Amino acid sequence: MRRLSTDRIAHHSPAPPDGPLAAVAPVKGAQRLTAVDDEASRLGLVPGMALADARAMYPALAVVDADPRADADLLAAVADWCDRYTPLVGLDPPDGLVLDITGCTHLFGGEVALLSDMVRRLDKGGYAARVAIADTVGCAWASAHHGTSSIVPLGGIRAAILPLPPAALRLEAGVAEALAQAGLKRIADLIDLPRAALAARFGVALVRRLDQALGREDEPITPRLPPPTYVVEQPFAEPIGLERDVLGTLHRLAGRLGRVLEQHGDGARVLQAALFRTDGKVYRVRLGTSAPLRDAEAVTRLFGDRLAAIGEACDPGFGFDLVRLSALVAERQSEVQSSLAGPDGAAELAHLIDRLGARFGLDRVTVPVARDTHIPEYAVAAVPAHAAVSHAVVAAPVIEQDSRAPARPIRLFERPEAIEAIAEVPDGPPVRFRWRRVLHEIAATEGPERIAMEWWRDADGHALTRDYFRAETRAGMRVWLYREGLYGRETGSPRWFVHGLFG
Amino acid sequence: MPDPRRLDALRQTLAHLDAKAGRRQQPDVLPLGVATVDAALGGGLVFGTLHDIAAEAPAEMGAAAGFAAALAARAAARAIPSRPVLWIQQEVASFEAGGLYGPGFSAFGLPMGRLVVLRVMRTRDVLWAMEEALASGALAAVVAELVKNEADLTATRRLSLAAAEADTLALLLNHQVSPHASAAATRWRVCAHPGPRDAFGGLGLTAFTLSLVKNRHGPTGCWHIVWNHHERVFSAATSGGVVAAAFDRPDRTPLARSA
């Protein structure tokens, strides 16, 4: 098991001024440096120094406010970009990344080639990085932050970390200072000391970090993105930018992915196309399908719809140099389905839902599913159609059918519209109402159907009971009205609303 | 000596073409169940063409949607094997005239389990989705709801062509009467009609006033009809008559005509 890791990104300001640069943030009431560039570093400035001291040493120091969120975003973007090397990319905040490149190096021509490729590309993007490859995360971290050698050979961990300062072990604040006071200035000084004594004096964390660096204790990487089940990709020496080329590439990749899926008897439920732009930006286009899918034509068409819908948001810039297609979620696909000849309505429907979902978003293609409640607006939920199959079916509450007319309107306003209504008696049915500035005379009503708010939905206790009426105007229009609040008990002047329209 | 396999293939192609032509000669129709209306339509609403339904006034949108829902319910009920109904709605439509309410559809004769709802932002998205949906052939009916009248002759012609591919009922539901020419086979204007009362003065079945303003295959006309959501059948309405009779004996009730 080869553990592998990390690089360090020097902070970059958005508009670089001349001369040494530092980012500052208020720490415990004082402005302190949080990051310095190469030039400032050569002048002896270090993070953690008070701004006043730094200014005293070098008055022309350019200073920008630290922006931890932007740093985090940048780190995430770089992590995205590093996805081209391995799917297992973990964040090491605030400024590091951990990559598990086990089994990936041969794709790039070995460790050395991978490392130089990565450094060269990062440098081209304007990011100075220190990179190290080692068997363990701890050792790679130590080498990247404090060491000189960028590739620690197999079994060379001990030799690599011996000359490094204890801070290279990723210690908590204060521990390194305490070790220095005790005269332990290099890892070599403490590596052979009795563990119990070390733990007792400097904390268990120190021993643990030592073990992790030496590979005695396993340290898993938490990948930022879930590693996909199936991946195919196509790198390009000359970047491609035309939509036609991208789709053509996706079609070829979909063909390859389909064959791999078929070998395993799987079909993709969630697909993702990642387009790596030459300048480091990565676009990820994700699609869900309503049934396991491995047909290259169908996959290409879905991505075609999706890309057409995204349009401007996916700017090829100077082109993409890597296109990757992955099946993030795969499911068993039974062979019987695909071998059945002739039109299969269910499969066609699933495909249509996928296409509509790919273009407009899967949450826009919905099926209404009944909920067990009498509150009209909660009685139905719009469940995405592609997930509806797996959705639990709840029996709808039975609505008393006391009329020849339908009991519920076919159209319901999300926000009931306030109306002026006049009833003969305050708690009786309305006789006329004014809605959208038009006066309607009511010819017949049915009701009331009294619906009280369910107590668990009503945290404030302010929701009023509603009396619903089905009303037909003289012109024949049928509306669903309600009076909010029981007259005399809940309110003195109940308000009226239109909640829906009947067919 | 010709290749027998090739001959066979040619024969199959011919048979296929014949079947296609034959279907065109005798188009599949969806009868409404009202003799007079069906007679004007030549049997019923033709599958494979576009039908345009408009609300006479914005306040009549409930009735227009009801008529479309009733037709979709009839189409869904006769589809074998069972196929759902796709209802495409613009976001703004739900503010204007309310969102689609599943329990209401169930009560109206179209079980909500058979309804698939697509909500999109723009008119062109509605048209795109309708064209795709018609071409897929996986649906019993497609209802596309347009708030503004932006479906012009080109758009309706495209939709008609897409509809011709499959036996799906294609309905365009306009929130207002469209000034554009349309390639639709029929154009309807719908408003609510004061419905029949039940024996106790309560609301009866849903009633519509239908104006057929364009009919490619027959005369236009105007009818009062009643929708029976239990039986999923229309019947002619009598103005002020006894309802129960109208709904039991739909064909014998006299046709009410208005200008």
Side-chain angles (χ1 to χ4, degrees):
Chain A
M1 181 74 189
R2 306 208 56 193
R3 283 275 163 204
L4 189 298
S5 83
T6 75
D7 63 323
R8 172 164 149 63
I9 301 145
H11 183 86
H12 267 242
S13 82
D18 291 336
L21 172 75
V24 294
V27 178
K28 288 183 189 162
Q31 290 284 349
R32 286 181 185 276
L33 306 190
T34 55
V36 294
D37 70 353
D38 283 347
E39 207 171 328
S41 178
R42 275 197 295 279
L43 292 166
L45 305 182
V46 289
M49 189 181 255
L51 176 61
D53 295 346
R55 277 263 160 80
M57 286 169 67
Y58 193 82
L61 180 69
V63 169
V64 289
D65 283 334
D67 186 350
R69 182 171 297 177
D71 288 351
D73 289 349
L74 177 65
L75 189 65
V78 177
D80 260 7
W81 175 83
C82 284
D83 215 24
R84 64 191 299 131
Y85 297 109
T86 164
L88 291 168
V89 180
L91 295 181
D92 175 27
D95 55 7
L97 293 174
V98 189
L99 277 65
D100 185 346
I101 57 162
T102 310
C104 303
T105 51
H106 70 277
L107 298 171
F108 300 90
E111 290 175 357
V112 182
L114 186 147
L115 213 58
S116 62
D117 181 65
M118 182 184 275
V119 172
R120 184 175 57 78
R121 283 175 189 267
L122 280 172
D123 191 50
K124 224 163 89 182
Y127 302 106
R130 293 181 58 170
V131 193
I133 297 178
D135 290 356
T136 65
V137 176
C139 179
W141 196 95
S143 304
H145 286 76
H146 297 274
T148 49
S149 63
S150 56
I151 298 181
V152 178
L154 207 62
I157 296 177
R158 200 180 153 91
I161 63 168
L162 277 181
L164 302 180
L169 290 174
R170 295 177 289 168
L171 300 178
E172 283 162 32
V175 178
E177 287 78 6
L179 285 167
Q181 277 172 9
L184 303 168
K185 294 208 163 61
R186 293 180 309 139
I187 295 175
D189 298 336
L190 56 92
I191 199 163
D192 291 325
L193 293 180
R195 294 162 58 84
L198 269 181
R201 182 150 175 201
F202 301 106
V204 187
L206 172 65
V207 181
R208 192 152 161 253
R209 286 302 195 191
L210 201 55
D211 284 348
Q212 284 178 347
L214 291 171
R216 287 184 208 146
E217 184 179 319
D218 192 32
E219 185 181 359
I221 295 174
T222 312
R224 210 174 72 83
L225 304 167
T229 323
Y230 299 100
V231 184
V232 289
E233 63 184 29
Q234 175 74 55
F236 294 99
E238 279 295 310
I240 57 165
L242 294 177
E243 191 182 327
R244 187 164 42 100
D245 296 343
V246 172
L247 283 179
T249 309
L250 282 173
H251 185 243
R252 280 200 303 281
L253 289 176
R256 273 163 58 191
L257 185 68
R259 284 192 288 281
V260 178
L261 285 168
E262 199 169 356
Q263 277 168 16
H264 291 82
D266 279 352
R269 283 299 304 270
V270 180
L271 285 158
Q272 178 176 273
L275 306 172
F276 291 76
R277 213 162 71 173
T278 39
D279 62 355
K281 180 118 181 83
V282 184
Y283 292 109
R284 287 174 205 282
V285 184
R286 191 182 282 213
L287 289 175
T289 66
S290 43
L293 183 71
R294 60 169 87 121
D295 177 35
E297 296 295 334
V299 170
T300 316
R301 220 163 34 221
L302 288 179
F303 276 110
D305 291 345
R306 188 85 193 119
L307 288 175
I310 299 172
E312 304 291 294
C314 185
D315 174 21
F318 292 109
F320 304 108
D321 60 356
L322 178 67
V323 177
R324 171 184 296 165
L325 182 67
S326 33
L328 297 184
V329 178
E331 260 177 26
R332 277 271 132 223
Q333 183 180 11
S334 60
E335 288 302 323
V336 191
Q337 268 181 353
S338 56
S339 67
L340 259 179
D344 179 2
E348 281 169 19
L349 180 67
H351 189 53
L352 175 68
I353 288 170
D354 290 349
R355 291 203 66 190
L356 296 175
R359 180 147 178 137
F360 303 113
L362 282 170
D363 53 342
R364 287 186 172 263
V365 196
T366 57
V367 290
V369 172
R371 291 281 180 80
D372 186 14
T373 171
H374 282 280
I375 312 293
E377 55 266 44
Y378 301 126
V380 64
V383 176
H386 75 286
V389 188
S390 52
H391 207 271
V393 176
V394 183
V398 179
I399 300 163
E400 292 282 328
Q401 187 67 39
D402 54 354
S403 161
R404 299 201 54 173
R408 289 285 179 268
I410 58 169
R411 305 187 72 114
L412 194 78
F413 289 104
E414 270 164 50
R415 304 170 72 105
E417 301 200 351
I419 53 170
E420 299 163 31
I422 296 162
E424 276 175 346
V425 286
D427 53 356
V431 291
R432 65 180 65 89
F433 66 97
R434 187 182 290 280
W435 175 46
R436 292 180 178 176
R437 283 179 278 175
V438 179
L439 188 68
H440 299 274
E441 295 281 340
I442 291 174
T445 57
E446 284 183 346
E449 180 182 345
R450 183 160 293 179
I451 298 178
M453 189 53 73
E454 290 156 347
W455 61 265
W456 58 91
R457 294 184 197 278
D458 178 22
D460 305 336
H462 294 320
L464 302 173
T465 308
R466 300 170 183 173
D467 275 349
Y468 278 91
F469 292 91
R470 292 186 287 273
E472 184 177 296
T473 66
R474 290 220 171 156
M477 182 174 77
R478 289 187 178 183
V479 290
W480 207 32
L481 308 173
Y482 71 87
R483 180 178 47 218
E484 193 181 59
L486 301 176
Y487 175 73
R489 268 191 283 166
E490 291 181 348
T491 173
S493 54
R495 298 196 299 154
W496 286 87
F497 294 89
V498 165
H499 205 175
L501 300 177
F502 287 95
Chain B
M1 188 68 193
D3 182 3
R5 261 189 305 178
R6 189 170 153 67
L7 262 183
D8 204 37
L10 282 171
R11 274 199 201 102
Q12 275 185 6
T13 315
L14 267 179
H16 189 64
L17 285 173
D18 280 349
K20 246 188 171 174
R23 199 164 55 191
R24 210 163 284 153
Q25 276 156 17
Q26 294 170 329
D28 200 6
V29 294
L30 178 78
L32 268 66
V34 183
T36 49
V37 184
D38 286 341
L41 291 170
L45 288 178
V46 182
F47 282 94
T49 57
L50 185 67
H51 304 281
D52 183 313
I53 299 168
E56 193 83 63
E60 303 290 354
M61 197 47 213
F67 182 53
L71 291 174
R74 275 182 77 78
R78 76 196 279 281
I80 299 168
S82 150
R83 286 178 289 165
V85 172
L86 176 69
W87 196 299
I88 307 160
Q89 196 181 38
Q90 247 177 305
E91 288 286 337
V92 60
S94 65
F95 298 114
E96 296 284 333
L100 304 178
Y101 189 53
F105 275 87
S106 291
F108 204 67
L110 179 61
M112 65 169 142
R114 288 195 150 189
L115 188 64
V116 181
V117 180
L118 171 67
R119 292 180 64 148
V120 296
M121 298 302 286
R122 297 171 300 178
T123 309
R124 47 177 298 197
D125 293 337
V126 176
L127 299 172
W128 184 91
M130 184 176 194
E131 201 177 328
E132 290 298 320
L134 288 172
S136 83
L139 300 158
V142 180
V143 183
E145 194 175 321
L146 294 172
V147 177
K148 290 183 195 148
N149 295 305
E150 287 173 87
D152 54 10
L153 190 59
T154 318
T156 47
R157 199 175 279 159
R158 275 193 75 90
L159 292 176
S160 297
L161 285 173
E165 299 292 316
D167 58 341
T168 303
L169 186 67
L171 300 175
L172 211 53
L173 177 59
N174 284 302
H175 278 225
Q176 39 192 300
V177 176
S178 167
H180 295 293
S182 171
T186 62
R187 294 183 87 170
W188 302 83
R189 288 186 193 169
V190 183
C191 60
H193 185 66
R197 299 278 163 271
D198 67 9
F200 308 101
L203 303 184
L205 298 173
T206 311
F208 306 103
T209 302
L210 298 179
S211 309
L212 181 58
V213 294
K214 177 190 172 187
N215 184 6
R216 196 183 283 166
H217 305 291
T220 57
C222 184
W223 302 272
H224 299 303
I225 61 165
V226 167
W227 168 245
N228 183 337
H229 50 270
H230 301 293
E231 312 282 333
R232 295 196 192 94
V233 66
F234 289 104
S235 55
T238 53
S239 341
V242 181
V243 196
F247 129 70
D248 283 340
R249 292 176 279 120
D251 293 343
R252 263 179 270 168
T253 44
L255 164 69
R257 231 175 233 279
S258 70

